[in-house]
Amino acid sequence: MAAATGPRSTASSSDATKAVLPVLFAISLVHMLNDSMQAVVPALYPVLEESLNLSLAQVGWIGFMLNMTSSVMQPVVGAYSDRRSLPSMLPIGMGLSMIGMIGIAFAPQFWYLLLAVVFIGLGSAIFHPEGSRVVYLAAGGKRGFAQSVYQVGGNAGSSLAPLMTVFIFVPLGQFGAIWGTLFAGFAIAILLGLLPWYKRKLAEWATERSQSASGRAGTTIVEKMSHPRVKFAMGMLVFLVFARSWYHAGISSFYQFYLKEHFGLTTQQAQIPVFLFLAAGVLGTYFGGVLADKFGLKNMIVFSIGGAAPIALILPHLTLFWVYPVITLLGFVVLSGFSVSVVYAQFLMPSKVGMASGLTTGLAFGMGAIGAVALGKAADVFGLSDVMLFCSFLPLVGLFALMLPSDRSRAR
């Protein structure tokens, strides 16, 4: 009997550690389409400002509503779906985003536009926690790699904003937003194809969790932790992601203006370093997750935020020649912990995957959006040079990551 069951057990264990690549690539593609729809909003800013005669304050409110609804609502949706996960929420969220795209294309005035943006934000808030749960179930034993594949899709979608502005919205104007409905329709089709697999895995996962709860105890580091220690670690993680979001907002939103002011670059020339930062961040997101599977989640978080500190500190003092290679390296390092933070949150809260994902990719980044508003106000008061200098110290907050509990104690 032992000889007969041994190989079967080994094969089953091996299958459990394998990532389901078709599912990962499919949900990553949906993530790209979702974040592309979000990217439509800032890409349309210059067009909307003219077509609806918006003030800069109104443009700021549009960005604020998009970020707050898409980010802050994520942990709320995640907490609800942890108690009662509904796979149908995935296509429903995309449907809301489709309504938002149509609303933007035909909005006759500011308030209609703001309502359309809220629909896009809510659709994104519904998608992200459930999307992270799909990744969690498809990851096998490669959670860092799986989350990286998923996040690379989202980052790639966000990076399409400048291209959409040039090739769609400048020629077509506000009505060009109707192209976003194609993104939503394609995403809904993919998600409908994923639903049978997702429903089956959710049922299997629920069975495994109930058996684990009634079976052996203390099998993970987190289960041995006292509740206050988990709360401290989660609070520290959100704080770290918050600081990284502030820095990311400072570079992606304001560094181009600093380059124009400090080096006399044109608007087009100033986009190049920012693009290098974002593009390198996409690569860093992927490789960070892969390296985390090998070296540990906590170690990668320390490296990504704390390791970026010396690079960030020298950036405001460089000549233009050195800005290009240094900001590329900076983008790779600082975003190498992007997906790792989500996986670490799931490690801390294994029974609340939706809330863990919402707190790291939602609430913390919503607070980062508020940080962008604060940095913009500070730039008006104190000047861009002082704000960039202040931002260069933000990655030092990453040293607090040393206080996080290790995820590799069990292996040792």
Side-chain angles (χ1 to χ4, degrees):
M1 180 68 72
T5 58
R8 190 181 301 119
S9 176
T10 302
S12 176
S13 176
S14 176
D15 291 341
T17 62
K18 292 181 179 178
V20 187
L21 293 180
V23 173
L24 288 178
F25 290 136
I27 199 67
S28 178
L29 177 58
V30 175
H31 196 189
M32 184 188 76
L33 294 168
N34 177 83
D35 284 22
S36 295
M37 285 186 283
Q38 279 193 265
V40 164
V41 179
L44 271 170
Y45 282 166
V47 175
L48 293 171
E49 184 184 8
E50 294 183 5
S51 64
L52 298 181
N53 194 28
L54 301 180
S55 67
L56 290 178
Q58 289 174 318
V59 170
W61 273 109
I62 293 170
F64 178 80
M65 290 300 294
L66 176 67
N67 282 293
M68 292 304 289
T69 52
S70 66
S71 300
V72 175
M73 286 298 295
Q74 281 190 41
V76 177
V77 174
Y80 174 80
S81 62
D82 283 332
R83 294 193 301 270
R84 185 185 177 188
S85 184
L86 298 175
S88 58
M89 291 174 66
L90 287 167
I92 288 173
M94 287 298 155
L96 292 177
S97 294
M98 178 182 285
I99 294 172
M101 287 289 102
I102 297 172
I104 289 179
F106 294 100
Q109 56 179 283
F110 170 70
W111 293 109
Y112 289 95
L113 178 64
L114 207 60
L115 180 61
V117 167
V118 168
F119 271 91
I120 296 173
L122 289 176
S124 182
I126 291 172
F127 165 74
H128 276 96
E130 282 297 308
S132 292
R133 198 188 314 276
V134 172
V135 174
Y136 185 86
L137 295 176
K142 299 181 179 179
R143 301 212 185 279
F145 164 77
Q147 192 67 34
S148 291
V149 172
Y150 175 64
Q151 296 293 357
V152 162
N155 288 358
S158 299
S159 67
L160 293 176
L163 298 179
M164 288 191 288
T165 301
V166 172
F167 295 108
I168 298 178
F169 302 134
V170 170
L172 298 180
Q174 180 180 342
F175 182 73
I178 203 70
W179 282 91
T181 60
L182 297 180
F183 296 155
F186 189 27
I188 290 173
I190 296 172
L191 290 172
L192 290 176
L194 280 178
L195 284 186
W197 178 90
Y198 186 33
K199 291 178 181 177
R200 186 176 70 254
K201 291 299 292 184
L202 277 175
E204 294 174 0
W205 188 41
T207 301
E208 291 172 1
R209 288 168 64 187
S210 62
Q211 290 175 348
S212 176
S214 61
R216 63 190 187 280
T219 56
T220 66
I221 302 169
V222 176
E223 289 168 349
K224 295 177 183 178
M225 287 182 184
S226 63
H227 183 62
R229 190 179 178 197
V230 174
K231 289 177 65 176
F232 168 79
M234 196 65 204
M236 179 61 69
L237 181 65
V238 171
F239 173 65
L240 291 170
V241 175
F242 179 30
R244 184 180 63 209
S245 299
W246 270 55
Y247 185 73
H248 189 272
I251 296 297
S252 59
S253 300
F254 302 109
Y255 192 63
Q256 56 184 312
F257 299 107
Y258 171 79
L259 291 170
K260 292 170 64 177
E261 177 184 290
H262 195 68
F263 295 109
L265 300 185
T266 65
T267 300
Q268 292 82 355
Q269 291 171 335
Q271 300 301 312
I272 297 175
V274 178
F275 172 76
L276 291 173
F277 176 80
L278 297 174
V282 174
L283 292 176
T285 298
Y286 172 75
F287 285 105
V290 174
L291 293 172
D293 284 334
K294 183 176 182 180
F295 297 107
L297 301 171
K298 173 187 173 180
N299 293 336
M300 205 64 214
I301 292 172
V302 173
F303 168 76
S304 68
I305 310 179
I311 309 173
L313 286 170
I314 65 172
L315 183 64
H317 309 287
L318 296 174
T319 62
L320 183 60
F321 175 83
W322 286 105
V323 163
Y324 298 98
V326 170
I327 202 169
T328 302
L329 178 62
L330 178 62
F332 183 91
V333 174
V334 80
L335 284 182
S336 62
F338 186 89
S339 61
V340 180
S341 302
V342 181
V343 181
Y344 187 83
Q346 294 170 350
F347 160 78
L348 291 173
M349 305 169 65
S351 63
K352 298 181 179 179
V353 175
M355 180 180 286
S357 304
L359 284 171
T360 46
T361 61
L363 180 60
F365 281 93
M367 295 301 101
I370 295 175
V373 175
L375 291 174
K377 181 64 175 178
D380 288 335
V381 176
F382 301 105
L384 278 169
S385 295
D386 288 339
V387 169
M388 288 296 105
L389 187 63
F390 166 76
C391 286
S392 69
F393 287 92
L394 285 174
L396 286 173
V397 173
L399 296 177
F400 285 106
L402 294 169
M403 301 170 64
L404 293 172
S406 175
D407 57 294
R408 298 178 68 80
S409 298
R410 183 184 177 195
R412 288 197 297 268

